[in-house]
Amino acid sequence: MTETSGARTGPSLLSRIDHVGIACRDLDASIDFYVATFGLTVAGRETNEGQGVREAMLRVADAPGGASYVQLLEPLGPDTPVGKFLDSRGEGVHHIGYGVADVAAALDQLRADGIRLVDERPRHGSLGAAIAFLHPKSVGGVLTELVQAAAG
Ligand code: MC0
């Protein structure tokens, strides 16, 4: 875990759990499982070439700060983040996505705190969100994503 420069005061940087990202080998089969077993509904599907995935967002619950989701991730190839993860660890939880009010501002704060960033600036994410990843080596082994949901 990275040592930060001091305890944060004021409101939490993270507003809620936006999604749990789950690596899978077969997106369609995994969607079928989550729909049939837990009754979740598919909120969106997308191929994100920049992240090397086909993915689906399945709505778990609506909350005042925004909905929470299970995100199913199938790699576009072996030499992608999810492809490498599947090779080394197999299917399972890949990352946690937390809601933030302003992802660029959150990155600035975390950079100043000495947290290792994967993304220096926000990128395109699921459902129109602006996202950025923090390196798992800096967050106790957990690949951590910041999610600024699309307006509206
Ligand atoms: C790798 N490591 C992880 C991990 N992936 N640790 C925890 N959780 C993960 N998901 C660890 C490995 O075990 C290894 O540790 C070390 O990190 C280096 O792993 P590597 O296999 O050599 O991989 P790298 O260094 O090439 O890349 C790791 C890194 C990468 C986290 C930088 O996966 C990355 O850029 N991730 C962010 C983008 C991403 O994941 N996109 C897919 C989801 P040891 O101890 O063995 O050295 S896209 C998404 O989710 C979008 C659509 C959205 O939400 O909207």
Side-chain angles (χ1 to χ4, degrees), residues 19 48 51 53 55 71 73 81-82 84-85 88-89 93-95 118-119 123-126 131 133 135-137 141-143 145 147:
H19 66 266
N48 188 324
Q51 297 285 358
V53 293
E55 53 89 2
Q71 181 186 57
L73 300 157
V82 175
K84 289 165 76 173
F85 180 91
S88 61
R89 301 193 189 198
V93 174
H94 178 260
H95 68 265
V118 172
D119 299 307
R123 304 175 68 181
H124 164 77
S126 304
I131 64 166
F133 284 92
H135 201 284
K137 295 291 180 197
V142 180
L143 178 59
E145 181 183 341
V147 181

Side-chain angles (χ1 to χ4, degrees), residues 58-143:
L58 282 72
R59 185 179 284 103
V60 175
D62 287 313
S68 60
Y69 302 90
V70 166
Q71 181 186 57
L72 300 172
L73 300 157
E74 180 194 276
L76 292 178
D79 197 20
T80 60
V82 175
K84 289 165 76 173
F85 180 91
L86 283 172
D87 272 354
S88 61
R89 301 193 189 198
E91 293 184 308
V93 174
H94 178 260
H95 68 265
I96 309 287
Y98 295 100
V100 294
D102 181 334
V103 66
L107 285 176
D108 286 345
Q109 287 189 41
L110 292 165
R111 186 188 300 105
D113 283 348
I115 299 293
R116 184 171 160 194
L117 310 181
V118 172
D119 299 307
E120 284 294 329
R121 54 188 65 80
R123 304 175 68 181
H124 164 77
S126 304
L127 304 175
I131 64 166
F133 284 92
L134 312 179
H135 201 284
K137 295 291 180 197
S138 210
V139 196
V142 180
L143 178 59

